Amino acid sequence: MTVSKIIRAQRKFYESIKRIDNSSDSFSSKFGRRICSKSESSSSPSSDVVEVTDKFISVFTKQPFSSDNPQLINLVPKLTNKVVESVLNNFRSWKVAHLFFTWSSNQHGYKHTIYTYNAMASILSRARQIAPLRVLAHDVVDSRCFMSPGALGFLIRCLGNVGLGQEANMLFDQVKIEGLCVPNRYTYNCLLEAICKSGSADLVEMRLKEMCDHGWGYDKYTLTPVLQVYCNAGKFDKALRVFNEIYDRGWVDEHVFYILLVSFSKWGEVDKACELIKRIEDCNIRLNEKTFCVLIHGFVKESRMDKALQLFDKMKKSGFFPDVSIYDVMIGGLCVNKQFEAAFQLYYEMKESGKKPDMGILSKLISSCSDEGELTQLLKESWEDMDAKSMTLLCNSIMSIHVNNGSINKAYNLLQAMIRGETITDVGVGVLSSFKGKVSPNTTSFSIVINKLLKDGKLDLALSLFRDMNQIGCKQNVVLYNNLIDGLCNSNRLEESYELLREMEELGFEPTHFTLNSIFGCLCGRQDVVGALNLVRKMRVHGHEPWIKNTTLLIKELCKHGKAVESCRFLSDMIQEGYLPDIVSYSAAVGGLIDIQKVDLALELFRDICAHGCCPDVVAYNIIINGLCKAQRVAEARDLFNEMIMKGLVPSVATYNSMINGWCKSGDVNRGMLCLSQMYEKEREANVITYTTLIDGLCGAGKPDDALMLWNEMEGKGCAPNRIAFMALIQGLCKCGRAKQALVHLRLMKEREMKPDIFVYVALINAFCYELNSPLAFEILKEMVDEGNFPHPLDKNYSVIQDAILKLSEDSQTSSHVKNLIVEGSIPAIILSDSGSQSGSISSE
DNA sequence: CCCCTGTTTG
């Protein structure tokens, strides 16, 4: 193209703009819905154009197409932009249109204008032909085709509609730089819409600013895509700000509301959506059918059936007739939310309006029937819709109902009848027996019964049903295998579970983490370290993680049996296998070592945890701190206490309690009390254990009055003493020679219906004897034996009580009463004849 | 999901 040609073309371009802007209803003014060349919009195409159009169409639709077709060659001179536009719009297939378009591009003497490009773009956009559209957009720029702002807008919208927002954005700039078009507000609006569809909020913001800077101003069609892009990006605040501006300027319309409503619905903001609906109604705008449907779907998804029902009602009142799919959503939602009555109501309403509920709806209702009466009612209504497949579904529902009502036998019998192909009778739903065909069970049928049998511990029955599935060719699945394996593992039937595992693998079912962990758990419970490690290796192969609770179980089992050292070895073996144990498992091992008095080893392991990149938590610190306190190593415990605070961990009540116990047991109650005041400062609420520990400590230090004061403080703070607290106080007071005060608390304790242990009675009896108060000592003794309590001969309390009884039998105030008790058999006679040393001659009580 | 705190030296 020569320079003079460009100048001539440019002049032509500006003339055409002038022509367009002068015309009364230019396409660039408003929506640009339909674009065609100017000459055509004023009058219908001339008869000549119609004739040539028909000829082209006939040639291009005649198979096969050949560019050498003499008929076609004759037509070439008649090729004008008007003809091309007309021909393009009359093809039914986009492919043929594109063929014609490409062919015409190559004809000498012919050149596309923006109107022919746009006609093609529109066809490709509707047919969602993204690749050729992209090429077309390039061609437009390459051919240096001039265009009006409206025409550019149209092309941009064609691109935007198929998600080519980035391409539209590029085209916009290229066309501007090349001087092919001077975009106006409408063009910008189209661009914003296109970018919005590809979701780029930042780009929209940038272009919006650019257009304002150019002084184009903005209107409703500018802000609508801005609102949309913020909504799509979930930018709630920004979206609302834009909406308010639209609203304040009075630009709000149905579409704007629709955008916001759909977004609220998508974000699960049901209440905000409802508020907006009210506002819409205040504006006298009616929701359309699509909006109703979108909202109902959204509300149901949020389980807001109240609002969904309201909207559904509104929809009907607005004159829309809900179709089956909306009924399906509503009924489904109601069933899931257990609003069965409302679900059934909709079902009846649907039938009344002449709509036939499909199997989807029917199955939702059938599976929601909670009793046989409901089911019978439903069946009466829709019996004619039943086929063999729905009968299976129906039977499954009946079995579910039985299972949920605790009648597994009925469910089992029904399944058996199905397996044997017998007529279904006597299941409480009479109408079933009139079904003549065979009702085959499916996988769900078996799952319902097998899973319940497993829950009830009827493992063998479940297994035999599982075998029946093979027999009748019913598909098994991973979940069933998993549940059976889990059942076997819980019954410690390890070998059989291995067998099922092998079987499922042979059938091509990949074991899940659940499968392998069931077996792992069983091995852990059995303390089978070797088997557990082998299974961990298998997990590695399948890419599954051993569950912490199982690893911890093995550690705890080993520790329970004094094998804490072995448990440590297992932990390091796990690391070898590539699984770093959790702090919980480590803690269990630390606790195990402490239990066998290997506190130093425990400390070593505790330090190792950090070295392995695992961080001790508060509980882990609690275990080691308590271990040290119990081993009378309070100073070290205190250091660890400070260390955990340095690390930013917050000591729990248990931490404080352990420290308090440590101080008390090492004879430093004052430091224990200091801990309590620390707790008050740090607003860590002391519990009944804290007080019990301190009360015991105070009594042990010979401070019964302080103990009683603390007791009152405890109650004053609303912390109710339990039986351990009572027993600690009573025994502590006895130790301090406060038998009477101790007795008061025994009475209080019994009033609160707490039963003291024998040692409490023994402590009281002993204390009263020591005070030479035989009557009260005897009173407690009698109370104890009347309640059927007496220490076992091997119990330390036995010798204490023996001494007491000896004293009471020697005191004239009580001797006859003691004798009576012996005569009654409440006290073993042998107790007085024996010297007081328990030298093996006593066989039993 | 799993790890921790108090009363009885037996």
Side-chain angles (χ1 to χ4, degrees), chain A residues 332-346:
Chain A
L334 288 168
C335 287
V336 166
N337 290 286
K338 312 223 175 297
Q339 291 173 253
F340 302 125
E341 215 169 294
F344 278 97
Q345 215 175 313
L346 281 193

Side-chain angles (χ1 to χ4, degrees), chain A residues 519-538:
Chain A
I519 299 176
F520 182 52
C522 185
L523 289 161
C524 290
R526 288 175 165 218
Q527 301 172 60
D528 183 345
V529 177
V530 176
L533 283 169
N534 278 329
L535 208 88
V536 164
R537 279 177 209 119
K538 192 173 172 65

